[in-house]
PDB file of all heavy atoms in Angstrom:
ATOM      1  N   SER A  38      51.814  24.711 104.740  1.00 91.00           N
ATOM      2  CA  SER A  38      52.184  25.660 105.819  1.00 91.00           C
ATOM      3  C   SER A  38      53.142  26.677 105.263  1.00 91.00           C
ATOM      4  O   SER A  38      53.997  26.362 104.438  1.00 91.00           O
ATOM      5  CB  SER A  38      52.855  24.870 106.975  1.00 91.00           C
ATOM      6  OG  SER A  38      53.230  25.769 107.983  1.00 91.00           O
ATOM      7  N   HIS A  39      52.998  27.946 105.672  1.00 92.00           N
ATOM      8  CA  HIS A  39      53.900  28.983 105.262  1.00 92.00           C
ATOM      9  C   HIS A  39      54.101  29.960 106.445  1.00 92.00           C
ATOM     10  O   HIS A  39      53.516  29.747 107.507  1.00 92.00           O
ATOM     11  CB  HIS A  39      53.430  29.707 104.018  1.00 92.00           C
ATOM     12  CG  HIS A  39      51.989  30.165 104.095  1.00 92.00           C
ATOM     13  ND1 HIS A  39      51.595  31.281 104.800  1.00 92.00           N
ATOM     14  CD2 HIS A  39      50.887  29.643 103.532  1.00 92.00           C
ATOM     15  CE1 HIS A  39      50.297  31.430 104.638  1.00 92.00           C
ATOM     16  NE2 HIS A  39      49.824  30.459 103.885  1.00 92.00           N
ATOM     17  N   GLU A  40      54.884  30.976 106.248  1.00 90.00           N
ATOM     18  CA  GLU A  40      55.263  31.897 107.306  1.00 90.00           C
ATOM     19  C   GLU A  40      54.092  32.497 108.059  1.00 90.00           C
ATOM     20  O   GLU A  40      54.129  32.663 109.277  1.00 90.00           O
ATOM     21  CB  GLU A  40      56.115  33.005 106.686  1.00 90.00           C
ATOM     22  CG  GLU A  40      56.616  34.032 107.670  1.00 90.00           C
ATOM     23  CD  GLU A  40      57.436  35.113 106.956  1.00 90.00           C
ATOM     24  OE1 GLU A  40      57.838  34.936 105.789  1.00 90.00           O
ATOM     25  OE2 GLU A  40      57.633  36.142 107.605  1.00 90.00           O
ATOM     26  N   HIS A  41      52.981  32.793 107.353  1.00 91.00           N
ATOM     27  CA  HIS A  41      51.858  33.495 107.972  1.00 91.00           C
ATOM     28  C   HIS A  41      50.730  32.527 108.388  1.00 91.00           C
ATOM     29  O   HIS A  41      49.742  33.005 108.957  1.00 91.00           O
ATOM     30  CB  HIS A  41      51.328  34.530 107.016  1.00 91.00           C
ATOM     31  CG  HIS A  41      52.373  35.525 106.620  1.00 91.00           C
ATOM     32  ND1 HIS A  41      52.897  36.424 107.505  1.00 91.00           N
ATOM     33  CD2 HIS A  41      53.018  35.738 105.429  1.00 91.00           C
ATOM     34  CE1 HIS A  41      53.826  37.179 106.859  1.00 91.00           C
ATOM     35  NE2 HIS A  41      53.894  36.742 105.618  1.00 91.00           N
ATOM     36  N   GLY A  42      50.817  31.250 108.076  1.00 91.00           N
ATOM     37  CA  GLY A  42      49.737  30.304 108.440  1.00 91.00           C
ATOM     38  C   GLY A  42      49.695  29.155 107.482  1.00 91.00           C
ATOM     39  O   GLY A  42      50.736  28.519 107.231  1.00 91.00           O
ATOM     40  N   MET A  43      48.511  28.840 106.965  1.00 92.00           N
ATOM     41  CA  MET A  43      48.345  27.731 106.051  1.00 92.00           C
ATOM     42  C   MET A  43      47.420  28.123 104.910  1.00 92.00           C
ATOM     43  O   MET A  43      46.511  28.873 105.115  1.00 92.00           O
ATOM     44  CB  MET A  43      47.733  26.490 106.747  1.00 92.00           C
ATOM     45  CG  MET A  43      48.690  25.775 107.618  1.00 92.00           C
ATOM     46  SD  MET A  43      47.999  24.182 108.076  1.00 92.00           S
ATOM     47  CE  MET A  43      49.507  23.351 108.470  1.00 92.00           C
ATOM     48  N   THR A  44      47.721  27.535 103.749  1.00 93.00           N
ATOM     49  CA  THR A  44      46.889  27.757 102.580  1.00 93.00           C
ATOM     50  C   THR A  44      46.258  26.427 102.210  1.00 93.00           C
ATOM     51  O   THR A  44      46.959  25.413 102.161  1.00 93.00           O
ATOM     52  CB  THR A  44      47.670  28.312 101.391  1.00 93.00           C
ATOM     53  OG1 THR A  44      48.233  29.602 101.752  1.00 93.00           O
ATOM     54  CG2 THR A  44      46.809  28.499 100.158  1.00 93.00           C
ATOM     55  N   VAL A  45      44.957  26.406 101.975  1.00 91.00           N
ATOM     56  CA  VAL A  45      44.218  25.231 101.577  1.00 91.00           C
ATOM     57  C   VAL A  45      43.731  25.445 100.136  1.00 91.00           C
ATOM     58  O   VAL A  45      43.128  26.476  99.842  1.00 91.00           O
ATOM     59  CB  VAL A  45      43.005  25.008 102.475  1.00 91.00           C
ATOM     60  CG1 VAL A  45      42.198  23.776 102.049  1.00 91.00           C
ATOM     61  CG2 VAL A  45      43.415  24.860 103.941  1.00 91.00           C
ATOM     62  N   THR A  46      44.057  24.489  99.255  1.00 93.00           N
ATOM     63  CA  THR A  46      43.600  24.558  97.880  1.00 93.00           C
ATOM     64  C   THR A  46      42.814  23.298  97.573  1.00 93.00           C
ATOM     65  O   THR A  46      43.294  22.202  97.763  1.00 93.00           O
ATOM     66  CB  THR A  46      44.809  24.619  96.897  1.00 93.00           C
ATOM     67  OG1 THR A  46      45.609  25.734  97.250  1.00 93.00           O
ATOM     68  CG2 THR A  46      44.304  24.778  95.458  1.00 93.00           C
ATOM     69  N   LYS A  47      41.553  23.479  97.143  1.00 93.00           N
ATOM     70  CA  LYS A  47      40.683  22.379  96.815  1.00 93.00           C
ATOM     71  C   LYS A  47      40.466  22.341  95.296  1.00 93.00           C
ATOM     72  O   LYS A  47      40.244  23.389  94.688  1.00 93.00           O
ATOM     73  CB  LYS A  47      39.350  22.524  97.519  1.00 93.00           C
ATOM     74  CG  LYS A  47      39.485  22.438  99.031  1.00 93.00           C
ATOM     75  CD  LYS A  47      38.117  22.630  99.679  1.00 93.00           C
ATOM     76  CE  LYS A  47      37.213  21.595  99.147  1.00 93.00           C
ATOM     77  NZ  LYS A  47      35.960  21.454  99.799  1.00 93.00           N
ATOM     78  N   THR A  48      40.493  21.121  94.750  1.00 95.00           N
ATOM     79  CA  THR A  48      40.232  20.934  93.320  1.00 95.00           C
ATOM     80  C   THR A  48      39.127  19.907  93.181  1.00 95.00           C
ATOM     81  O   THR A  48      39.145  18.867  93.836  1.00 95.00           O
ATOM     82  CB  THR A  48      41.473  20.451  92.587  1.00 95.00           C
ATOM     83  OG1 THR A  48      42.544  21.364  92.856  1.00 95.00           O
ATOM     84  CG2 THR A  48      41.260  20.371  91.095  1.00 95.00           C
ATOM     85  N   LEU A  49      38.132  20.192  92.306  1.00 93.00           N
ATOM     86  CA  LEU A  49      37.069  19.236  91.996  1.00 93.00           C
ATOM     87  C   LEU A  49      37.022  19.031  90.505  1.00 93.00           C
ATOM     88  O   LEU A  49      36.883  20.002  89.751  1.00 93.00           O
ATOM     89  CB  LEU A  49      35.716  19.818  92.487  1.00 93.00           C
ATOM     90  CG  LEU A  49      34.484  18.958  92.181  1.00 93.00           C
ATOM     91  CD1 LEU A  49      34.558  17.592  92.857  1.00 93.00           C
ATOM     92  CD2 LEU A  49      33.240  19.701  92.587  1.00 93.00           C
ATOM     93  N   GLN A  50      37.201  17.804  90.098  1.00 93.00           N
ATOM     94  CA  GLN A  50      37.145  17.418  88.679  1.00 93.00           C
ATOM     95  C   GLN A  50      35.991  16.421  88.479  1.00 93.00           C
ATOM     96  O   GLN A  50      36.050  15.305  89.028  1.00 93.00           O
ATOM     97  CB  GLN A  50      38.466  16.797  88.253  1.00 93.00           C
ATOM     98  CG  GLN A  50      38.486  16.245  86.860  1.00 93.00           C
ATOM     99  CD  GLN A  50      38.628  17.312  85.769  1.00 93.00           C
ATOM    100  OE1 GLN A  50      39.480  18.182  85.927  1.00 93.00           O
ATOM    101  NE2 GLN A  50      37.772  17.267  84.786  1.00 93.00           N
ATOM    102  N   GLU A  51      34.950  16.838  87.730  1.00 92.00           N
ATOM    103  CA  GLU A  51      33.838  15.965  87.463  1.00 92.00           C
ATOM    104  C   GLU A  51      33.818  15.617  86.016  1.00 92.00           C
ATOM    105  O   GLU A  51      33.555  16.474  85.168  1.00 92.00           O
ATOM    106  CB  GLU A  51      32.516  16.649  87.873  1.00 92.00           C
ATOM    107  CG  GLU A  51      32.412  16.850  89.358  1.00 92.00           C
ATOM    108  CD  GLU A  51      31.094  17.533  89.757  1.00 92.00           C
ATOM    109  OE1 GLU A  51      30.858  18.633  89.230  1.00 92.00           O
ATOM    110  OE2 GLU A  51      30.379  16.931  90.570  1.00 92.00           O
ATOM    111  N   GLY A  52      34.086  14.336  85.702  1.00 89.00           N
ATOM    112  CA  GLY A  52      34.110  13.858  84.317  1.00 89.00           C
ATOM    113  C   GLY A  52      35.106  14.681  83.495  1.00 89.00           C
ATOM    114  O   GLY A  52      36.213  14.910  83.852  1.00 89.00           O
ATOM    115  N   GLU A  53      34.644  15.123  82.312  1.00 88.00           N
ATOM    116  CA  GLU A  53      35.468  15.879  81.390  1.00 88.00           C
ATOM    117  C   GLU A  53      35.368  17.402  81.561  1.00 88.00           C
ATOM    118  O   GLU A  53      35.956  18.169  80.841  1.00 88.00           O
ATOM    119  CB  GLU A  53      35.120  15.517  79.925  1.00 88.00           C
ATOM    120  CG  GLU A  53      35.312  14.021  79.619  1.00 88.00           C
ATOM    121  CD  GLU A  53      36.790  13.611  79.714  1.00 88.00           C
ATOM    122  OE1 GLU A  53      37.668  14.401  79.340  1.00 88.00           O
ATOM    123  OE2 GLU A  53      37.031  12.487  80.225  1.00 88.00           O
ATOM    124  N   ALA A  54      34.566  17.823  82.561  1.00 91.00           N
ATOM    125  CA  ALA A  54      34.383  19.275  82.777  1.00 91.00           C
ATOM    126  C   ALA A  54      35.670  19.899  83.271  1.00 91.00           C
ATOM    127  O   ALA A  54      36.569  19.228  83.728  1.00 91.00           O
ATOM    128  CB  ALA A  54      33.266  19.469  83.817  1.00 91.00           C
ATOM    129  N   GLN A  55      35.738  21.226  83.097  1.00 94.00           N
ATOM    130  CA  GLN A  55      36.903  21.970  83.584  1.00 94.00           C
ATOM    131  C   GLN A  55      36.993  21.800  85.090  1.00 94.00           C
ATOM    132  O   GLN A  55      35.979  21.853  85.832  1.00 94.00           O
ATOM    133  CB  GLN A  55      36.726  23.431  83.241  1.00 94.00           C
ATOM    134  CG  GLN A  55      36.963  23.769  81.781  1.00 94.00           C
ATOM    135  CD  GLN A  55      38.426  23.603  81.427  1.00 94.00           C
ATOM    136  OE1 GLN A  55      38.831  22.583  80.954  1.00 94.00           O
ATOM    137  NE2 GLN A  55      39.184  24.638  81.643  1.00 94.00           N
ATOM    138  N   PRO A  56      38.209  21.630  85.641  1.00 94.00           N
ATOM    139  CA  PRO A  56      38.350  21.525  87.106  1.00 94.00           C
ATOM    140  C   PRO A  56      37.908  22.837  87.767  1.00 94.00           C
ATOM    141  O   PRO A  56      38.087  23.904  87.225  1.00 94.00           O
ATOM    142  CB  PRO A  56      39.868  21.293  87.284  1.00 94.00           C
ATOM    143  CG  PRO A  56      40.437  21.001  85.985  1.00 94.00           C
ATOM    144  CD  PRO A  56      39.455  21.524  84.936  1.00 94.00           C
ATOM    145  N   GLN A  57      37.344  22.685  88.980  1.00 95.00           N
ATOM    146  CA  GLN A  57      36.938  23.823  89.761  1.00 95.00           C
ATOM    147  C   GLN A  57      37.952  23.956  90.906  1.00 95.00           C
ATOM    148  O   GLN A  57      38.262  22.968  91.582  1.00 95.00           O
ATOM    149  CB  GLN A  57      35.548  23.636  90.328  1.00 95.00           C
ATOM    150  CG  GLN A  57      34.487  23.495  89.274  1.00 95.00           C
ATOM    151  CD  GLN A  57      33.154  23.104  89.931  1.00 95.00           C
ATOM    152  OE1 GLN A  57      32.879  23.342  91.085  1.00 95.00           O
ATOM    153  NE2 GLN A  57      32.280  22.503  89.108  1.00 95.00           N
ATOM    154  N   TYR A  58      38.475  25.169  91.110  1.00 95.00           N
ATOM    155  CA  TYR A  58      39.420  25.420  92.121  1.00 95.00           C
ATOM    156  C   TYR A  58      38.875  26.351  93.210  1.00 95.00           C
ATOM    157  O   TYR A  58      38.111  27.256  92.901  1.00 95.00           O
ATOM    158  CB  TYR A  58      40.686  26.063  91.546  1.00 95.00           C
ATOM    159  CG  TYR A  58      41.368  25.211  90.499  1.00 95.00           C
ATOM    160  CD1 TYR A  58      41.145  25.437  89.158  1.00 95.00           C
ATOM    161  CD2 TYR A  58      42.244  24.225  90.904  1.00 95.00           C
ATOM    162  CE1 TYR A  58      41.807  24.662  88.201  1.00 95.00           C
ATOM    163  CE2 TYR A  58      42.874  23.411  89.928  1.00 95.00           C
ATOM    164  CZ  TYR A  58      42.642  23.684  88.601  1.00 95.00           C
ATOM    165  OH  TYR A  58      43.244  22.889  87.660  1.00 95.00           O
ATOM    166  N   GLN A  59      39.278  26.113  94.430  1.00 93.00           N
ATOM    167  CA  GLN A  59      38.916  26.959  95.554  1.00 93.00           C
ATOM    168  C   GLN A  59      40.076  27.021  96.491  1.00 93.00           C
ATOM    169  O   GLN A  59      40.660  26.009  96.824  1.00 93.00           O
ATOM    170  CB  GLN A  59      37.676  26.375  96.240  1.00 93.00           C
ATOM    171  CG  GLN A  59      37.127  27.234  97.331  1.00 93.00           C
ATOM    172  CD  GLN A  59      35.921  26.566  98.039  1.00 93.00           C
ATOM    173  OE1 GLN A  59      35.672  25.387  97.866  1.00 93.00           O
ATOM    174  NE2 GLN A  59      35.196  27.349  98.777  1.00 93.00           N
ATOM    175  N   GLY A  60      40.476  28.190  96.893  1.00 93.00           N
ATOM    176  CA  GLY A  60      41.600  28.351  97.779  1.00 93.00           C
ATOM    177  C   GLY A  60      41.345  29.359  98.856  1.00 93.00           C
ATOM    178  O   GLY A  60      40.619  30.318  98.686  1.00 93.00           O
ATOM    179  N   PHE A  61      41.898  29.125 100.045  1.00 90.00           N
ATOM    180  CA  PHE A  61      41.766  30.084 101.144  1.00 90.00           C
ATOM    181  C   PHE A  61      42.914  29.842 102.132  1.00 90.00           C
ATOM    182  O   PHE A  61      43.577  28.833 102.065  1.00 90.00           O
ATOM    183  CB  PHE A  61      40.398  29.975 101.837  1.00 90.00           C
ATOM    184  CG  PHE A  61      39.846  28.576 101.903  1.00 90.00           C
ATOM    185  CD1 PHE A  61      40.102  27.720 102.977  1.00 90.00           C
ATOM    186  CD2 PHE A  61      39.092  28.061 100.836  1.00 90.00           C
ATOM    187  CE1 PHE A  61      39.600  26.453 103.042  1.00 90.00           C
ATOM    188  CE2 PHE A  61      38.587  26.778 100.868  1.00 90.00           C
ATOM    189  CZ  PHE A  61      38.840  25.959 101.983  1.00 90.00           C
ATOM    190  N   SER A  62      43.141  30.840 102.976  1.00 92.00           N
ATOM    191  CA  SER A  62      44.212  30.774 103.926  1.00 92.00           C
ATOM    192  C   SER A  62      43.739  31.001 105.331  1.00 92.00           C
ATOM    193  O   SER A  62      42.699  31.647 105.545  1.00 92.00           O
ATOM    194  CB  SER A  62      45.283  31.830 103.579  1.00 92.00           C
ATOM    195  OG  SER A  62      45.896  31.549 102.343  1.00 92.00           O
ATOM    196  N   TYR A  63      44.500  30.479 106.296  1.00 91.00           N
ATOM    197  CA  TYR A  63      44.221  30.668 107.699  1.00 91.00           C
ATOM    198  C   TYR A  63      45.481  31.220 108.344  1.00 91.00           C
ATOM    199  O   TYR A  63      46.582  30.792 108.063  1.00 91.00           O
ATOM    200  CB  TYR A  63      43.812  29.370 108.376  1.00 91.00           C
ATOM    201  CG  TYR A  63      42.523  28.810 107.872  1.00 91.00           C
ATOM    202  CD1 TYR A  63      42.500  27.666 107.058  1.00 91.00           C
ATOM    203  CD2 TYR A  63      41.322  29.423 108.190  1.00 91.00           C
ATOM    204  CE1 TYR A  63      41.318  27.134 106.594  1.00 91.00           C
ATOM    205  CE2 TYR A  63      40.118  28.897 107.681  1.00 91.00           C
ATOM    206  CZ  TYR A  63      40.127  27.765 106.915  1.00 91.00           C
ATOM    207  OH  TYR A  63      38.962  27.255 106.439  1.00 91.00           O
ATOM    208  N   SER A  64      45.308  32.160 109.270  1.00 91.00           N
ATOM    209  CA  SER A  64      46.466  32.740 109.989  1.00 91.00           C
ATOM    210  C   SER A  64      46.982  31.782 111.028  1.00 91.00           C
ATOM    211  O   SER A  64      46.272  30.862 111.492  1.00 91.00           O
ATOM    212  CB  SER A  64      46.055  34.062 110.659  1.00 91.00           C
ATOM    213  OG  SER A  64      45.156  33.779 111.733  1.00 91.00           O
ATOM    214  N   ARG A  65      48.217  31.985 111.444  1.00 87.00           N
ATOM    215  CA  ARG A  65      48.844  31.137 112.495  1.00 87.00           C
ATOM    216  C   ARG A  65      48.020  31.237 113.784  1.00 87.00           C
ATOM    217  O   ARG A  65      47.919  30.243 114.513  1.00 87.00           O
ATOM    218  CB  ARG A  65      50.273  31.552 112.756  1.00 87.00           C
ATOM    219  CG  ARG A  65      51.194  31.102 111.623  1.00 87.00           C
ATOM    220  CD  ARG A  65      52.504  30.602 112.211  1.00 87.00           C
ATOM    221  NE  ARG A  65      53.359  30.123 111.148  1.00 87.00           N
ATOM    222  CZ  ARG A  65      53.472  28.866 110.820  1.00 87.00           C
ATOM    223  NH1 ARG A  65      52.802  27.965 111.468  1.00 87.00           N
ATOM    224  NH2 ARG A  65      54.256  28.518 109.838  1.00 87.00           N
ATOM    225  N   ALA A  66      47.503  32.409 114.113  1.00 88.00           N
ATOM    226  CA  ALA A  66      46.743  32.592 115.338  1.00 88.00           C
ATOM    227  C   ALA A  66      45.522  31.667 115.405  1.00 88.00           C
ATOM    228  O   ALA A  66      45.235  31.037 116.381  1.00 88.00           O
ATOM    229  CB  ALA A  66      46.307  34.041 115.508  1.00 88.00           C
ATOM    230  N   LYS A  67      44.809  31.544 114.259  1.00 86.00           N
ATOM    231  CA  LYS A  67      43.640  30.665 114.188  1.00 86.00           C
ATOM    232  C   LYS A  67      44.002  29.190 114.242  1.00 86.00           C
ATOM    233  O   LYS A  67      43.162  28.359 114.595  1.00 86.00           O
ATOM    234  CB  LYS A  67      42.836  30.959 112.928  1.00 86.00           C
ATOM    235  CG  LYS A  67      42.051  32.238 112.973  1.00 86.00           C
ATOM    236  CD  LYS A  67      41.151  32.328 111.759  1.00 86.00           C
ATOM    237  CE  LYS A  67      40.287  33.559 111.866  1.00 86.00           C
ATOM    238  NZ  LYS A  67      39.330  33.656 110.774  1.00 86.00           N
ATOM    239  N   LEU A  68      45.223  28.875 113.872  1.00 85.00           N
ATOM    240  CA  LEU A  68      45.647  27.468 113.737  1.00 85.00           C
ATOM    241  C   LEU A  68      46.419  26.962 114.938  1.00 85.00           C
ATOM    242  O   LEU A  68      46.893  25.819 114.899  1.00 85.00           O
ATOM    243  CB  LEU A  68      46.494  27.296 112.456  1.00 85.00           C
ATOM    244  CG  LEU A  68      45.801  27.648 111.148  1.00 85.00           C
ATOM    245  CD1 LEU A  68      46.770  27.528 110.001  1.00 85.00           C
ATOM    246  CD2 LEU A  68      44.617  26.744 110.913  1.00 85.00           C
TER     247      LEU A  68
END
Side-chain angles (χ1 to χ4, degrees):
S38 179
H39 51 76
E40 182 181 345
H41 303 291
M43 284 193 159
T44 299
V45 178
T46 305
K47 295 178 58 170
T48 306
L49 176 63
Q50 174 77 48
E51 294 180 304
E53 298 297 321
Q55 286 289 94
Q57 299 174 22
Y58 299 98
Q59 184 180 17
F61 34 92
S62 295
Y63 296 108
S64 69
R65 286 220 177 262
K67 285 188 175 184
L68 300 175

